[in-house]
């Protein structure tokens, strides 16, 4: 059993749950605001909430495409459909406002090797405004996530698209094909050194597959020019190439020879299992085992071995303006600060692993799956901040990092992405225990 950071959570780290246990736990989390998701006036979500005056430097009051998609999906999976749909519609408006980013890549008039020419995945939320700051915007996974969730919600009739939104989805498909995402070096989930990454290829392929299913199921939504043989060929070619590239790299993240890029184990691969479900069976088992064996720590799960973001004594080694800077072109400078084994341990992964096993238990009824679901659910609960935390009690950190020899929450607390994943794990735990 893990030891909870918060004393209020410790009674819920037990061998089994009754429906009453989970109802009481959920009431405690709701009262503490652990699962609250305040939105901006236009329905978007900032990356983090209630930042202290001395943590505004993080820039996490801005909006990220990836975070907004995955927070929306977490809310959607937890039954809060309207919040999710409203956020995604605003995100679509943002992309439509800057559709020239897509058009110029498709027609070849902008250079996709310059990340500032790509669709911006980090922006000012309230005004839907691009930021002038240099940033690693080459992130094919972010585009794939949006395409995936928008098409998914249309397919199940929870989002009725406008013709302009349907045209936007077509631009996503053509842009991913134009940049040849299956062999494109992007900065991926962690916005770092550009490489050919399985986690990005898989996410983009999942989005394209969802678009293809939407095309098959609801052809009436598609304008005639999107039904042309040329456009269909682009879609099918992109899916085929994406699948082949993904299969050639998995179960690893990157197999390029460059040691700065080559990476066997990366927890971002978990998202190909859940929520995307593009990786299943033995390959999913291999990825899970790799994460557990090589990346799992006492407080959370490392993103990858050698991760220098929020390494030990990070706040003493870097000034505030440098801590969350764009290191995609000079990552070696930050990596020099890391002592191996002292990587930050993140809180976004344990609840996702719990969901993976919860889904398996629903399908198999195997008690071993339920046991693993509970184990990672309890690890996620144990990460909630203690009652005396400067961030408040029962908040969801981005990660725990080592400060003066002790692991503590980093300054990005609470992180909405962590909250959304925890929300899903609570819902799946209730499902497994039979809570209505």
């Amino acid at each position: 059993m893990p030891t909870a950071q918060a004393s209020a959570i410790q009674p819920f780290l037990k061998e089994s749950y009754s429906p009453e246990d989970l109802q009481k736990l959920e009431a405690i989390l709701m009262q503490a605001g652990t699962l609250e998701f305040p939105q901006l006036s236009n329905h978007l979500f900032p990356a983090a909430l209630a930042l202290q005056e001395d943590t505004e430097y993080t820039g996490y009051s801005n909006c990220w495409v990836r975070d907004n998609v995955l927070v929306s999906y977490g809310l959607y999976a937890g039954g809060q459909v309207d919040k999710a749909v409203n956020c995604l519609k605003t995100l679509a408006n943002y992309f439509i406002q800057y559709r020239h980013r897509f058009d110029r890549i498709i027609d070849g008039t902008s250079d996709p090797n310059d990340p500032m020419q790509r669709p911006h995945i980090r922006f000012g939320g309230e005004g839907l405004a691009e930021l002038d700051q240099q940033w690693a915007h080459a992130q094919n996974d972010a585009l794939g996530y949006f395409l995936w969730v928008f098409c998914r919600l249309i397919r199940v009739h929870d989002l009725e698209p406008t013709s302009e939104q349907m045209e936007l989805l077509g631009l996503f498909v053509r842009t991913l094909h134009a940049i040849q995402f299956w062999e494109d070096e992007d900065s991926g989930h962690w916005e770092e050194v550009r490489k050919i990454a399985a986690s990005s290829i898989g996410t983009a392929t999942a989005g394209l597959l969802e678009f293809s299913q939407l095309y098959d199921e609801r052809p009436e939504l598609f304008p005639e020019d999107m039904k042309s043989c040329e456009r269909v060929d682009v879609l099918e070619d992109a899916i085929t190439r994406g699948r082949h590239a993904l299969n050639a790299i998995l179960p690893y993240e990157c197999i390029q020879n460059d040691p700065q890029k080559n990476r066997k184990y990366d927890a971002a691969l978990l998202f190909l299992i859940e929520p995307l479900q593009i990786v299943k069976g033995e390959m999913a088992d291999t990825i899970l085992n790799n994460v557990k064996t090589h990346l799992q720590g006492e407080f959370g799960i490392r993103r990858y071995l050698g991760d220098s973001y929020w390494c030990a004594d990070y706040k003493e080694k870097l000034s505030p303006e440098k801590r969350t800077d764009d290191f995609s072109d000079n990552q070696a400078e930050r990596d020099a600060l890391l002592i191996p084994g002292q990587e930050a341990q993140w809180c976004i992964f344990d609840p996702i692993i719990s969901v993976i096993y919860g889904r398996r238990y629903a399908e198999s009824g195997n008690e071993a799956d339920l046991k693993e679901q509970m184990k990672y659910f309890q690890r996620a609960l144990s990460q909630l901040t203690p009652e005396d935390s400067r961030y408040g009690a029962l908040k969801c950190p981005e990660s725990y990092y080592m400060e003066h020899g002790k692991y503590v929450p980093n300054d990005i607390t609470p992180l909405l992405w962590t909250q959304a994943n925890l929300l899903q794990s609570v819902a799946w735990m209730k499902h497994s225990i039979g809570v209505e």
Side-chain angles (χ1 to χ4, degrees):
M1 291 291 176
T3 300
Q5 299 291 318
S7 60
I9 294 299
Q10 193 62 44
F12 297 97
L13 306 185
K14 50 196 296 186
E15 294 290 343
S16 62
Y17 292 121
S18 67
E20 292 73 24
D21 288 332
L22 292 179
Q23 289 167 346
K24 184 177 179 180
L25 170 63
E26 192 169 29
I28 290 173
L29 296 179
M30 294 303 294
Q31 183 177 7
T34 310
L35 301 178
E36 288 182 358
F37 293 84
Q39 293 176 283
L40 303 180
S41 61
N42 59 11
H43 308 295
L44 291 178
F45 298 98
L49 294 176
L51 294 172
Q52 315 285 323
E53 285 188 11
D54 61 344
T55 60
E56 291 180 358
Y57 73 87
T58 63
Y60 276 59
S61 58
N62 290 314
C63 291
W64 271 257
V65 170
R66 180 190 308 100
D67 290 55
N68 270 270
V69 168
L70 292 175
V71 168
S72 293
Y73 179 75
L75 288 167
Y76 178 78
Q80 300 183 49
V81 176
D82 288 345
K83 271 193 171 185
V85 169
N86 288 336
C87 173
L88 294 171
K89 285 181 176 179
T90 303
L91 205 52
N93 290 340
Y94 162 71
F95 282 125
I96 289 169
Q97 181 174 326
Y98 293 98
R99 67 163 290 168
H100 66 275
R101 299 282 182 204
F102 299 88
D103 290 331
R104 291 174 183 173
I105 287 176
I106 293 167
D107 65 23
T109 56
S110 68
D111 180 9
N113 290 316
D114 177 2
M116 295 301 289
Q117 300 305 311
R118 298 214 186 186
H120 288 199
I121 54 77
R122 176 182 183 264
F123 59 96
E126 284 287 8
L128 299 185
E130 291 186 343
L131 303 173
D132 292 334
Q133 180 184 5
Q134 181 72 27
W135 202 256
H137 291 299
Q139 296 181 37
N140 301 335
D141 65 296
L143 302 182
Y145 278 124
F146 177 82
L147 183 62
W148 171 79
V149 77
F150 211 84
C151 291
R152 170 71 61 91
L153 267 60
I154 295 172
R155 284 182 55 218
V156 297
H157 298 272
D158 282 322
L159 193 163
E160 287 303 313
T162 65
S163 58
E164 194 172 30
Q165 289 167 349
M166 289 303 300
E167 185 178 356
L168 174 68
L169 297 178
L171 292 177
F172 271 76
V173 174
R174 294 167 63 199
T175 297
L176 287 170
H177 190 270
I179 62 175
Q180 300 181 356
F181 77 92
W182 54 88
E183 59 184 14
D184 180 53
E185 292 190 328
D186 82 325
S187 291
H189 286 73
W190 314 137
E191 304 184 319
E192 295 182 337
V193 64
R194 290 175 68 170
K195 61 186 183 299
I196 302 173
S199 59
S200 290
I201 294 170
T203 306
T205 304
L208 292 165
L209 285 166
E210 202 69 30
F211 182 90
S212 179
Q213 286 186 269
L214 177 61
Y215 185 90
D216 291 339
E217 294 171 8
R218 302 192 64 186
E220 75 280 1
L221 295 175
F222 289 77
E224 288 304 315
D225 69 329
M226 291 176 68
K227 299 178 182 179
S228 68
C229 291
E230 176 190 355
R231 298 290 170 81
V232 174
D233 287 346
V234 164
L235 174 62
E236 293 180 351
D237 183 60
I239 291 172
T240 299
R241 291 178 182 274
R243 282 189 180 277
H244 287 167
L246 183 62
N247 291 336
I249 300 172
L250 289 177
Y252 303 134
E253 167 71 341
C254 179
I255 57 175
Q256 290 173 271
N257 291 328
D258 185 336
Q260 279 235 313
K261 301 174 183 180
N262 185 278
R263 186 175 302 163
K264 282 188 174 183
Y265 315 119
D266 194 310
L269 294 171
L270 292 171
F271 303 127
L272 304 186
I273 307 172
E274 183 65 43
L276 298 173
Q277 299 179 52
I278 192 173
V279 174
K280 301 179 181 181
E282 291 184 5
M283 184 61 75
D285 289 340
T286 300
I287 290 170
L288 279 167
N289 289 333
N290 284 343
V291 169
K292 293 177 185 180
T293 302
H294 300 284
L295 302 180
Q296 183 171 308
E298 181 181 355
F299 295 90
I301 292 174
R302 300 167 180 87
R303 298 191 301 182
Y304 57 90
L305 298 178
D307 181 12
S308 59
Y309 181 59
W310 283 97
C311 61
D313 299 316
Y314 196 67
K315 292 165 73 170
E316 295 179 6
K317 293 175 179 177
L318 288 173
S319 63
E321 59 271 15
K322 291 288 289 182
R323 291 173 198 160
T324 56
D325 205 356
D326 176 11
F327 279 93
S328 57
D329 291 327
N330 60 342
Q331 193 169 322
E333 174 187 339
R334 194 187 70 193
D335 288 349
L337 305 177
L338 173 71
I339 297 173
Q342 295 185 354
E343 298 92 345
Q345 299 181 25
W346 283 55
C347 304
I348 60 175
F349 303 116
D350 286 290
I352 286 297
I353 295 179
S354 181
V355 171
I356 290 170
Y357 282 108
R359 191 181 294 278
R360 289 186 175 189
Y361 179 64
E363 296 171 355
S364 70
N366 189 326
E367 290 296 318
D369 290 331
L370 177 60
K371 184 177 180 180
E372 289 297 289
Q373 179 188 6
M374 290 182 61
K375 173 183 176 180
Y376 285 93
F377 177 64
Q378 293 178 359
R379 278 176 56 89
L381 290 177
S382 74
Q383 296 161 355
L384 298 175
T385 54
E387 284 78 3
D388 61 354
S389 170
R390 66 181 292 231
Y391 306 107
L394 303 182
K395 303 305 180 187
C396 294
E398 178 186 68
S399 70
Y400 278 79
Y401 84 107
M402 188 176 288
E403 184 177 72
H404 302 153
K406 179 183 178 182
Y407 274 95
V408 297
N410 78 0
D411 283 356
I412 298 93
T413 303
L415 183 75
L416 268 68
W417 188 358
T418 309
Q419 288 184 200
N421 292 352
L422 180 63
L423 177 65
Q424 293 178 71
S425 70
V426 170
W428 275 99
M429 200 73 250
K430 289 166 63 179
H431 183 271
S432 295
I433 301 301
V435 180
E436 295 296 332

